[in-house]
Amino acid sequence: MSRILCLDVGAGTLDILWVDTERELPFKAVVASPVRTIAERIERLAGDLLVTGGEMGGGPVTEALRRRARTHRVWITPEAAATLHHDPEVVRGWGLERIEAAEAETIRRRFGPAHVVLADIEIDRIRGLVEGFGVPFAFDFVALCLQDHGVPASGGSHLDFRHRLYRGPLESGGRLHELLWRAEEIPAALNRLRSAAAAARGLPAGAVYAMDSGLAAVAGAALDPRAPADRPFLVLDVATSHTVCAARDGEELCALAEIHTRDLTPERLQELVRRTAAGDLDHGRLLAEGGHGAYLRRAAGEEALGCILATGPQRRLAAGIRPPVLWGAPFGDNLMTGCAGLLDCLCRREGLARVYFL
């Protein structure tokens, strides 16, 4: 028996899947993402602010802290400041005061500011959700996913760096479960992923694993019963912030392209699908077009257009694609796509029997 908790930390939602490999039914929840709940918490707190914790998703949190710094003092530790920007001078330029973690208690006692902790993994909140399932708050494995741009050592393009980081393992075999890392295996440059995994160690679990959310979604979509096992197919995951289009052939990831969801038009999405299937992808070209990057192992071919599985919370944007998409539902639920991928990759890494819920 293995009790497994999967956490997909997105820009819009936190998706949770609890599985006991000896029970027939999983339990799941889709709730507001930490980046939203913590931003709201910041807005509710009055006056000066002390910010500790680690790197998490920015977006609304960054904007809330920048607004507060225009009217009040905001002290922030280096680890938490990485949420806003990896350049300390940029953070200072926004009016926030960087302090060392050891100074936080002194600041609290001397000035009495409100206090907020930045973290993608909120232990108490997760405890309440899991206990609400009516199951024990104890796990053999925790697997989480989120997007981390990475911190290039040279200070160069984080998108180029991220591309190189994932390209090596993918070219060695193209199997996605090999990019599900144990907490201690996560590359040092993936600071946000490492921060989340470190926070997840506060959960009562035997081992913690972590993965890129786009790759987890590609792995999860393939669990849809309509995904063909004998020919190539496409996965189109349209998430809140980023959209991934990937070509798969069995266990192999043939190609992958990623763009910002906010930049999507029907024409651009159609072109992305065509180019991914044809292998007409170039990382530099996609970056120049405003995209997030691309990986090409080989062309899957026009045959892959015969099955386009669309997943993600914004997948309605794919409604006009031709050929028509199939509305993917791994484990019977589109919003469990990332969690399904985490679970399948974990089972492969740990040598557990793969789990299927139809």
Side-chain angles (χ1 to χ4, degrees):
M1 177 184 73
S2 293
R3 291 174 179 164
I4 302 168
L5 181 69
C6 299
L7 303 167
D8 181 353
V9 185
T13 63
L14 167 65
D15 310 328
I16 302 175
L17 177 67
W18 182 93
V19 172
D20 183 333
T21 55
E22 290 192 357
R23 295 178 64 157
E24 292 185 0
L25 294 176
F27 296 96
K28 61 187 179 181
V30 177
V31 299
S33 66
V35 73
R36 296 194 176 202
T37 59
I38 291 177
E40 291 170 1
R41 192 176 307 152
I42 292 168
E43 298 288 4
R44 289 195 303 269
L45 294 171
D48 297 339
L49 199 60
L50 171 64
V51 186
T52 61
E55 182 174 356
M56 65 171 294
V61 169
T62 298
E63 292 306 311
L65 289 173
R66 290 182 64 183
R67 281 194 297 270
R68 181 59 59 88
R70 296 186 192 116
T71 58
H72 294 82
R73 297 186 74 177
V74 177
W75 296 272
I76 190 166
T77 61
E79 296 81 8
T83 297
L84 284 74
H85 204 284
H86 290 136
D87 185 340
E89 294 307 314
V90 171
V91 177
R92 291 191 182 96
W94 288 335
L96 289 86
E97 303 176 45
R98 276 175 48 108
I99 61 168
E100 294 303 317
E103 300 176 75
E105 181 60 21
T106 299
I107 294 292
R108 189 189 66 80
R109 290 179 178 177
R110 182 177 178 185
F111 298 101
H115 181 208
V116 66
V117 179
L118 303 189
D120 281 309
I121 303 298
E122 301 172 282
I123 302 295
D124 289 343
R125 187 176 181 219
I126 293 170
R127 177 191 294 273
L129 290 164
V130 172
E131 290 180 344
F133 294 156
V135 299
F137 188 65
F139 321 101
D140 296 292
F141 304 102
V142 169
L144 65 94
C145 66
L146 49 79
Q147 185 176 83
D148 188 343
H149 291 164
V151 186
S154 62
S157 165
H158 62 265
L159 295 179
D160 280 334
F161 171 77
R162 184 167 175 260
H163 172 72
R164 292 193 300 271
L165 184 67
Y166 286 107
R167 183 178 60 194
L170 288 173
E171 288 185 345
S172 70
R175 294 180 294 274
L176 293 175
H177 68 273
E178 295 174 357
L179 284 166
L180 175 72
W181 292 300
R182 273 185 174 264
E184 59 271 18
E185 299 170 347
I186 301 171
L190 294 178
N191 191 59
R192 181 187 172 194
L193 202 62
R194 286 171 61 91
S195 179
R201 283 176 165 166
L203 294 166
V208 173
Y209 283 87
M211 188 178 194
D212 176 82
S213 54
L215 297 179
V218 173
L223 297 175
D224 186 290
R226 294 164 296 176
D230 57 351
R231 58 183 174 86
F233 64 97
L234 295 182
V235 171
L236 183 62
D237 186 72
V238 191
T240 303
S241 293
H242 298 89
T243 292
V244 172
C245 187
R248 293 197 60 170
D249 189 357
E251 296 294 312
E252 182 185 7
L253 179 67
C254 303
L256 181 144
E258 186 174 50
I259 64 176
H260 294 101
T261 300
R262 66 173 182 266
D263 295 333
L264 286 180
T265 63
E267 295 77 18
R268 190 171 190 194
L269 197 53
Q270 181 72 63
E271 183 67 4
L272 182 69
V273 166
R274 183 199 65 78
R275 285 166 57 179
T276 303
D280 182 19
L281 294 177
D282 178 77
H283 174 69
R285 175 184 168 192
L286 197 64
L287 288 185
E289 295 170 351
H292 229 240
Y295 163 77
L296 177 64
R297 182 177 174 85
R298 66 174 178 85
E302 188 174 345
E303 186 180 18
L305 295 171
C307 177
I308 307 172
L309 289 165
T311 58
Q314 302 297 319
R315 66 177 181 175
R316 66 181 184 279
L317 299 174
I321 286 179
R322 296 292 179 267
V325 302
L326 298 174
W327 301 115
F331 292 4
D333 188 343
N334 166 47
L335 295 182
M336 284 294 112
T337 301
C339 288
L342 284 172
L343 178 61
D344 195 56
C345 289
L346 175 66
C347 289
R348 290 166 178 261
R349 279 290 314 259
E350 286 289 334
L352 303 174
R354 296 174 71 186
V355 178
Y356 297 94
F357 298 108
L358 298 180

